[in-house]
Amino acid sequence: MTKPFSFRQAGVGLRLEHLAKVLRDRPAAAWFEVHPENVLANPHAAEMLAEIAALYPLSIHSVGISAGSASGLDRTHLARVRGLVTRLDPVLLSGHLAWSTHDGEYLNDLLPLPYHAQSLDVICRHIAEIQDALGMVFHLENPSNYLGFAESTMTETAFLTEVVKRTGCRLLCDVSNIHVSAHNMGYDARRYVDELPGEAIGEFHLGGFELETEPGGTSVIIDTHARPIATEAWDLYAYAIHRFGPRPTLIEWDSALPAMDVLLAEAAKADRIAEQVLVDRHALAV
Amino acid sequence: MPSLFEMQAGFRAAIAGDAPAPLLGRLHAPASVAGRMEIYRRHHRESFRRHLRGRYPTLEWLLGTDRLLELADLTLQRSPPRAPSMAEYGAALIETLRSCGDDLPPYAADVGRMDWHLGCLSVSLEHQPMALVTLAGIDTLHLPRLRFTLQPGLVFIQSAWPVDELLRLRLQDILPDRFTFEPCETHLQLRGARGAFSLNRLEPDVFQFRAGLAAGCSLADAATRGTQAKPGFDLSTALATLFAEGLVIAHSGENVDV
Ligand SMILES: [Fe+2]
């Protein structure tokens, strides 16, 4: 990490629609996260991003690296991401505990994995290769779940803990995803947080989601990243900060994108919550 | 227990094709598993539909949203993306238009080509153009063998229909009461960079000359293409205009032995 990186302030996701405005207005953002897949075939965006990289710390968050694909990593894609990493000199690198590509077909989604010995071997092998190829520590993000697999032999938190142990990667704890998965799969979100290996968490994510009623009268939360962060996610974020202490925190917003000011207001709210939790924790300790 | 590869093959089939029953039995949720799978199916379908609508705005305006979405679904089935960079996906819809467009206007594929290329070149870069004077130092014997690299955001489209008129109508957002659209051999130069684009009609000889250079032809071969299109093709004027418009960014071939 060559750039000064003040992770005490939350960053925001930077999407194509905001690139030109960020260059022009230089908003008071602490740092930005970018999806390499959005700029690899967009030379204009890559050019603007290279200028932004000289002004702000950047995090590279790959949504297409497909670390959980049994058919192997797409090495051409990995090489292109490496090119971007070289060009942008990011301070963080992350991706998902998921798969997106099967046998060369890209499915444009973060698809779920069973948690067992075979999937553990696959993802550990791929994370090791990604870290070698990109020369950076990978932050593995917990997914939003809508269903589980009968074949799973371990919990998601046990699986993540084992991946960390085997690869030396760190965790990107998406607090909103924990709330989404806990609601959808019927488990306790705080207990999930308690089970995470806290020392391995290198980043938090917070994003918006939407509640839908299902045909049987149950409800499901869809991880849309198209809305402000809900109260339940802010509460869980406060709980995670209380438990693990502060980490670089990122506001995700991908569709129905609002003005940059709205994103920065969400980031400021994350900062206030983190600060309040730390003040409270300190008060309890003395 | 199926291997991870088999499980992922089944999951792929369930969201992108016909759901095989055996996979559903291996999944669980505190609600309908089929309903939860539908979340993935819907995301897969809608995200590609949204992407392809964004890449073919004139075609959507021309054919209507429902028809474009049918074509998008068919394209996704026949030619799914092979890479995780979505901006590169979608050219296959032009092939869908060509192969199953019996009920479509005969110019639909050309409108599709125009939309696709405008999207690509508006995100490209414009490089420092080369001045014509740069060629002054080159031995005239070598000139015929020269090859030029043109600006990356440059595409040449020939159509039997004036498809650029459709684009202009869409951009003006005016639907005339009556619009006559007749076949007319049209030679278009599409140029774009950094979010902007322009579209010009060229004379057939100039079009063939420039399209030849863009395809990698030598200056002599491109000039032949120009002359074949129109016997009175004027190479020196065509060359001067090419440079004056800033379309050439590099040259090569002057050191190649005959
Ligand atoms: Fe996330």
Side-chain angles (χ1 to χ4, degrees), chain A residues 47 118 146 148 150-151 214, chain B residues 4 8 26 28 36 123 194:
Chain A
E47 181 186 66
Q118 196 189 145
Y146 305 101
E151 286 86 2
E214 296 180 287
Chain B
L4 187 63
Q8 292 182 345
R26 315 196 80 89
H28 66 83
R36 294 291 173 90
V123 300
R194 298 186 173 95

Side-chain angles (χ1 to χ4, degrees), chain A residues 31-35 57-61 90-94 203:
Chain A
W31 54 288
F32 290 117
E33 180 195 86
V34 294
H35 297 172
L58 294 184
S59 167
I60 295 267
H61 183 61
V91 291
L92 284 170
L93 169 73
S94 55
E203 184 184 352

Side-chain angles (χ1 to χ4, degrees), chain A residues 200-221:
Chain A
I201 296 173
E203 184 184 352
F204 289 123
H205 263 184
L206 285 159
F209 45 72
E210 284 165 65
L211 189 77
E212 282 186 11
T213 303
E214 296 180 287
T218 49
S219 66
V220 62
I221 302 181

Side-chain angles (χ1 to χ4, degrees), chain A residues 3 23 48-58 87-90:
Chain A
K3 287 177 211 173
L23 269 179
M48 287 191 280
L49 211 47
E51 283 184 57
I52 291 170
L55 303 168
Y56 297 90
L58 294 184
R87 191 170 180 193
L88 301 180
D89 188 21

